[in-house]
Amino acid sequence: MHSKRLHFDIKIFDSNTELNASDRKLIREAKDAILKAYAIYSQFMVGAAALLEDGTILSSGNQENASYPLCLCAEQTLTGAIRSHDPNAVIKTIAITGFSLDERYLPPLAPCGGCRQILLEWELRQESPIRLLLKGTEDRVVMIGSCKDLLPLAFDGRYLPGQPLSEEPEMPLDDEGPDDSGGDSGIE
């Protein structure tokens, strides 16, 4: 048995003033998209904005429903808006930000698990990385170079019937060598 270690690199900016003008604009668009949110139940407002390859910027906010399973995250409404705008659009960067009406101090917001899956599916389909800019109410901004970094062991089309089997997915792995734990799970 061998052990592997997953890793990825992020960039952390102490303030959005350290970002280039294009990234600052995209974060402003995401912040403005918070006004598109409908979050009367959780009072947790999220905005997301995407820069497309052709220079278009689209944005959206989360949408809640009294029937909670029907709620949609900002990333979900954004990808729906992008698909409606251009089914073949290539997303270069997505900025995500938000705030809570109870005025909690929020660190940079990361997509939930379901949204990570949705964004990864888009990234795989377009065959190029989607860069993420994550911001909360604090000054820091986290930059992630690819959606694959957020979901390295993802379920994708390779597992579904009728899809071609591909090579093992590319993952950020380091070979750690033989596992010296003895494989003992502690369960008898």
Side-chain angles (χ1 to χ4, degrees):
M1 179 165 86
H2 284 74
S3 293
K4 302 280 185 177
R5 180 177 306 197
L6 292 170
H7 72 275
F8 68 96
D9 295 318
I10 63 174
K11 293 181 180 176
I12 300 172
F13 299 87
D14 291 330
S15 167
N16 66 356
T17 59
E18 297 177 39
L19 300 170
N20 65 42
S22 176
D23 288 345
R24 285 194 308 271
K25 178 180 179 182
L26 197 61
I27 287 175
R28 271 193 314 275
E29 293 283 341
K31 190 174 180 181
D32 291 347
I34 291 170
L35 298 175
K36 299 176 184 179
Y38 178 74
I40 63 170
Y41 303 105
S42 72
Q43 298 187 358
F44 186 71
M45 318 285 279
V46 179
L51 172 63
L52 306 183
E53 188 174 57
D54 68 2
T56 301
I57 295 176
L58 297 173
S59 64
S60 192
N62 57 319
Q63 303 296 308
E64 292 184 350
N65 190 287
S67 177
Y68 274 19
L70 299 178
C71 296
L72 296 171
C73 297
E75 300 90 335
Q76 294 171 344
T77 60
L78 177 63
T79 54
I82 294 167
R83 176 88 57 212
S84 295
H85 170 76
D86 178 358
N88 298 309
V90 173
I91 303 171
K92 300 304 283 180
T93 305
I94 294 178
I96 303 165
T97 191
F99 73 91
S100 179
L101 292 179
D102 67 4
E103 299 182 6
R104 280 180 285 149
Y105 194 64
L106 299 176
L109 300 179
C112 72
C115 288
R116 292 174 191 213
Q117 184 72 41
I118 288 168
L119 296 175
L120 179 63
E121 179 87 15
W122 197 297
E123 182 174 282
L124 293 172
R125 183 183 60 79
Q126 74 180 25
E127 298 180 346
S128 64
I130 298 172
R131 194 169 56 106
L132 299 172
L133 299 171
L134 310 177
K135 186 162 182 353
T137 55
E138 65 179 33
D139 290 338
R140 281 187 312 148
V141 176
V142 172
M143 181 187 295
I144 300 172
S146 170
C147 295
K148 281 194 258 187
D149 292 338
L150 289 177
L151 201 58
L153 300 173
F155 179 84
D156 61 34
R158 292 173 298 120
Y159 298 101
L160 301 175
Q163 300 298 314
L165 294 176
S166 61
E167 298 296 319
E168 189 171 328
E170 180 184 325
M171 291 186 282
L173 297 174
D174 288 332
D175 193 353
E176 292 291 308
D179 185 354
D180 60 2
S181 70
D184 184 7
S185 66
I187 301 173
E188 295 186 31

